[in-house]
């Protein structure tokens, strides 16, 4: 096949995958994960869940499965079944099964004790758990089935039993809630978050699908998720911001997402949010800015108590007669505290890695840009020219030093009346006469001629002059003994060659 065609198809496929993975709901879809990472997502979690539920029914025969609720949630490793009690066949319940996640830091004993403790939690804004049990690898909980559905079902006008993608991925109509609903539901959710924070119970899983509607009240779901160590729905958002590093700040940030969805009928396109669309009240925008704006994500989240004091929620009156109750033994409180610290520590490490990766990506993108390439080419040319100039100067300096060292092998330039240098005079036996300033005439001997000739040739070779023939060297020597007598070199050389 044509290489250009293949490259074009690869580019198109990459763009298609980028669009899918940037969509928060699609990126968590089981089919997408199996396509991108088949090795880690090859198991059939529905079959695993059925096996665990079957084992449970052996010890609890009063329950009976009506039908599996396929894909009503977004988690791959969490499955749901519609249930009924044998002696109450008209009542419908929902069984949820989930295995352990990466943030499970409780010991098996503490984990099972806390899971079994959840049905005792009573709060007007927490959805009641009918039954809960756990083993060393998973947990199973049963709640009453609510035909009205969750807060997300209300926003998207969806049916609770429909698959998650069909309900929320491409809504037909986008419409937010009324201002009074936003105020009331928001206040109720903040109250239950404050209750859990005061109890030292980690949550971190707030989103519209985890808020059940019952009458005019919002009730929180899935308290067990933090005990199981499951990742949050919005983890890919808050893991980018290093100031959101506690479970309390995670809850506040997730509340910002929920408030945005209640106000505008859809989740934000990206976080942080630079500018907010028109809202029913400026008080809503003020809360959104404190939780989702660039400044908030950079500097940190407000506390739940601070949000309760803001104008949007401070004037909401809650009427409820149910008294909150959730007794946690001191030993389990300490286990929860340690587990919470471990969860936060892993989040901080993940944020650090993401920060380093983003810095590296920005640096690579910057150096790979066309502008940077041009700058590097210009700098490379300048450096090349500078190196050429430096090499030329260095070569000239070496050549000059070579000439100076070569001329040093012969005697320096002197006039006929100048005294002969001591070294030369001594070699010829003239030292005494030169010192007295007498007119010296050289009478060569054969040994003297040979020595002078070899010295002259060596000097000529050292200076890089003509070395092809002796006569060339003989007549090009301008220094040394030639100045003592004009005819000395020619005559001596000829006599020494005739020897």
């Amino acid at each position: 096949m044509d290489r250009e065609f293949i490259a074009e198809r690869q580019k198109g496929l990459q763009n298609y995958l980028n669009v899918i993975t940037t969509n928060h709901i699609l990126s968590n879809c089981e089919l997408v994960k199996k396509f991108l990472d088949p090795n880690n997502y090859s198991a059939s979690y529905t079959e695993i869940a059925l096996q665990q539920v079957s084992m449970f029914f052996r010890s609890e025969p009063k329950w009976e499965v009506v039908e599996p609720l396929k894909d009503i949630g977004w988690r791959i490793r969490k499955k749901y079944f519609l249930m009924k009690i044998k002696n109450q066949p008209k009542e419908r319940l929902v069984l949820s099964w989930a295995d352990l996640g990466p943030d499970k830091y409780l010991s098996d004993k503490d984990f099972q004790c806390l899971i079994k403790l959840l049905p005792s939690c009573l709060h007007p804004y927490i959805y009641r758990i009918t039954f809960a049990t756990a083993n060393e690898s998973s947990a199973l909980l049963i709640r009453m089935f609510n035909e009205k559905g969750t807060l997300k079902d209300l926003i998207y006008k969806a049916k609770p039993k429909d698959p998650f993608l069909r309900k929320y991925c491409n809504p037909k109509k986008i419409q937010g809630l009324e201002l009074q609903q936003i105020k009331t539901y928001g206040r109720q959710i903040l109250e239950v978050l404050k209750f859990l924070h005061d109890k030292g119970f980690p949550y971190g899983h707030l989103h519209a699908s985890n808020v059940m509607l019952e009458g005019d009240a919002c009730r929180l779901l899935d308290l067990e998720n933090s005990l199981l160590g499951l990742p949050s729905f919005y983890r890919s958002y808050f893991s980018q911001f290093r100031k959101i590093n506690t479970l309390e700040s995670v809850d506040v940030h997730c509340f910002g997402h929920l408030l945005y969805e209640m106000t505008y009928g859809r989740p934000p396109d990206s976080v942080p949010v630079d500018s907010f669309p028109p809202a029913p009240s400026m008080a809503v925008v003020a809360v959104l800015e404190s939780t989702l704006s660039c400044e908030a994500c950079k500097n940190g989240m407000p506390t739940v108590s601070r949000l309760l004091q803001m104008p949007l929620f401070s004037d909401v009156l809650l009427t409820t007669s149910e008294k909150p109750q959730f007794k946690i033994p001191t030993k389990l409180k300490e286990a929860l505290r340690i587990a919470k610290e471990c969860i936060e520590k892993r989040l901080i490490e993940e944020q650090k890695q993401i920060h380093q990766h983003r810095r590296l990506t920005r640096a690579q993108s910057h150096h790979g840009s066309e502008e940077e390439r041009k700058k590097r080419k210009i700098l490379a040319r300048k450096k090349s020219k500078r190196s050429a100039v430096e090499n030329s100067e260095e070569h000239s300096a070496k050549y000059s030093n070579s000439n100076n060292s070569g001329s040093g092998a012969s005697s320096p330039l002197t006039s006929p009346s100048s005294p002969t240098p001591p070294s030369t005079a001594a070699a010829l036996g003239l030292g005494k006469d030169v010192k007295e300033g007498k007119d010296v005439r050289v009478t060569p001997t054969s040994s003297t001629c040979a020595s002078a000739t070899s010295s002259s040739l060596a000097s000529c070779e050292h200076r890089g002059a003509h070395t092809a023939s002796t006569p060339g060297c003989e007549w090009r020597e301008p220094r040394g003994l030639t100045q003592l007598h004009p005819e000395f070199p020619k005559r001596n050389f000829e006599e020494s060659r005739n020897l």
Side-chain angles (χ1 to χ4, degrees):
M1 296 178 69
D2 187 10
R3 290 185 178 181
E4 294 183 1
F5 173 76
I6 295 174
E8 184 179 353
R9 293 298 297 270
Q10 286 178 338
K11 186 177 180 181
L13 177 60
Q14 185 62 57
N15 292 334
Y16 174 71
L17 291 176
N18 291 342
V19 172
I20 290 177
T21 53
T22 51
N23 185 295
H24 186 58
I25 295 178
L26 288 178
S27 62
N28 288 302
C29 176
E30 183 177 3
L31 295 175
V32 174
K33 290 183 178 292
K34 283 187 174 182
F35 176 77
L36 296 176
D37 192 3
N39 294 329
N40 289 324
Y41 294 94
S42 58
S44 175
Y45 294 101
T46 303
E47 293 181 4
I48 296 173
L50 283 171
Q51 292 173 4
Q52 296 289 334
V53 170
S54 299
M55 291 175 64
F56 160 72
F57 283 133
R58 291 176 186 174
S59 59
E60 297 287 343
K62 68 175 183 177
W63 308 99
E64 186 178 337
V65 175
V66 177
E67 62 177 330
L69 300 173
K70 294 183 178 180
D71 303 325
I72 66 167
W74 67 276
R75 293 187 186 277
I76 297 174
R77 295 181 175 92
K78 192 167 190 177
K79 300 301 175 182
Y80 298 87
F81 302 88
L82 192 64
M83 306 284 295
K84 70 177 181 180
I85 305 176
K86 289 183 178 180
N87 58 1
Q88 298 175 355
K90 291 184 179 180
E91 286 191 1
R92 292 292 181 264
L93 302 97
V94 175
L95 181 149
S96 64
W97 171 90
D99 66 352
L100 304 179
D103 280 325
K104 192 265 183 182
Y105 294 103
L106 293 166
S107 66
D108 291 343
K109 182 179 178 182
D110 292 339
F111 167 66
Q112 293 177 27
C113 289
L114 282 165
I115 289 291
K116 293 177 180 179
L117 195 66
L118 291 178
S120 66
C121 178
L122 300 176
H123 193 281
Y125 308 123
I126 293 178
Y127 200 66
R128 183 77 182 269
I129 297 172
T130 305
F131 178 85
T133 187
N135 56 28
E136 64 280 357
S137 62
S138 62
L140 183 150
L141 293 92
I142 298 176
R143 298 175 174 91
M144 296 299 297
F145 178 72
N146 191 334
E147 295 285 349
K148 195 173 181 180
T150 64
L151 181 57
K152 202 174 185 77
D153 293 327
L154 174 66
I155 296 171
Y156 288 81
K157 311 294 188 293
K159 296 178 180 179
K161 291 183 180 181
D162 287 343
F164 193 86
L165 286 179
R166 186 187 301 172
K167 289 188 291 186
Y168 310 130
C169 193
N170 189 23
K172 295 179 180 179
K173 187 178 180 180
I174 296 175
Q175 184 179 356
L177 303 181
E178 297 292 333
L179 179 59
Q180 191 56 43
Q181 288 178 307
I182 295 172
K183 291 167 67 73
T184 303
Y185 294 159
R187 176 64 187 261
Q188 292 172 351
I189 292 167
L190 289 175
E191 287 290 346
V192 71
L193 288 178
K194 186 176 184 301
F195 172 77
L196 292 175
H197 293 175
D198 292 342
K199 289 289 183 180
F201 190 92
Y203 186 54
H205 293 271
L206 179 62
H207 59 92
S209 292
N210 272 354
V211 179
M212 186 69 75
L213 290 177
E214 195 170 41
D216 294 330
C218 279
R219 300 183 187 271
L220 212 60
L221 289 169
D222 288 358
L223 297 185
E224 70 275 10
N225 283 357
S226 58
L227 305 180
L228 285 159
L230 302 179
S232 172
F233 183 69
Y234 292 118
R235 189 180 184 88
S236 60
Y237 289 97
F238 61 73
S239 59
Q240 300 179 49
F241 310 112
R242 303 179 76 177
K243 288 292 184 178
I244 308 176
N245 52 19
T246 64
L247 288 183
E248 290 83 2
S249 61
V250 165
D251 283 334
V252 172
H253 181 72
C254 293
F255 178 78
H257 283 264
L258 176 58
L259 182 63
Y260 189 102
E261 204 165 359
M262 285 195 294
T263 305
Y264 301 110
R266 59 179 179 83
D269 295 328
S270 62
V271 176
V273 181
D274 297 325
S275 61
F276 295 91
S281 169
M282 287 305 297
V284 177
V285 177
V287 178
L288 290 174
E289 287 178 343
S290 69
T291 54
L292 296 179
S293 66
C294 296
E295 184 179 356
C297 293
K298 183 179 180 181
N299 298 328
M301 297 289 109
T303 62
V304 172
S305 299
R306 174 71 185 92
L307 292 180
L308 285 169
Q309 295 171 2
M310 296 185 76
L312 183 62
F313 308 114
S314 61
D315 60 347
V316 177
L317 297 177
L318 300 178
T319 57
T320 177
S321 59
E322 187 177 352
K323 185 179 179 180
Q325 181 180 350
F326 190 23
K327 293 183 179 180
I328 304 175
T330 306
K331 184 179 178 182
L332 292 180
K333 278 187 177 181
E334 181 64 17
L336 281 174
R337 185 188 66 79
I338 295 173
K340 177 177 174 291
E341 290 178 355
C342 293
I343 292 171
E344 292 171 350
K345 183 178 179 181
R346 194 178 84 88
L347 174 61
I348 291 170
E349 288 297 321
E350 183 177 323
Q351 290 171 334
K352 183 179 178 181
Q353 292 176 5
I354 291 173
H355 179 70
Q356 291 174 347
H357 177 72
R358 290 171 70 180
R359 287 184 61 184
L360 177 62
T361 303
R362 283 197 299 266
Q364 290 174 344
S365 177
H366 175 69
H367 288 296
S369 64
E370 190 66 28
E371 185 179 352
E372 279 298 309
R373 286 196 191 119
K374 289 179 181 179
K375 286 182 181 180
R376 287 199 297 271
K377 285 181 181 179
I378 293 171
L379 290 174
R381 289 194 198 104
K382 288 182 179 179
K383 188 175 181 181
S384 178
K385 289 179 181 179
R386 197 183 305 119
S387 299
V389 172
E390 290 175 357
N391 290 338
S392 177
E393 290 176 354
E394 185 179 354
H395 181 72
S396 300
K398 286 183 178 180
Y399 185 76
S400 176
N401 292 336
S402 176
N403 284 342
N404 291 337
S405 62
S407 60
S410 303
S411 299
L413 288 171
T414 57
S415 62
S417 60
S418 300
T420 307
S423 59
T424 309
L428 298 175
L430 303 176
K432 182 178 179 181
D433 293 333
V434 170
K435 286 182 181 180
E436 293 175 0
K438 295 181 181 180
D439 186 14
V440 180
R441 179 176 292 273
V442 179
T443 305
T445 63
S446 61
S447 61
T448 305
C449 292
S451 175
T453 304
S454 61
S455 175
S456 180
L457 284 171
S459 175
C460 184
E461 288 177 1
H462 182 68
R463 289 193 306 272
H466 295 286
T467 57
S469 61
T470 305
C473 182
E474 167 195 341
W475 295 111
R476 290 180 181 273
E477 177 60 58
R479 298 182 181 85
L481 298 176
T482 60
Q483 295 172 346
L484 296 176
H485 197 284
E487 294 181 2
F488 174 74
K490 180 179 180 182
R491 189 163 36 113
N492 279 5
F493 187 81
E494 288 177 352
E495 288 178 2
S496 63
R497 187 170 59 182
N498 293 333
L499 289 175

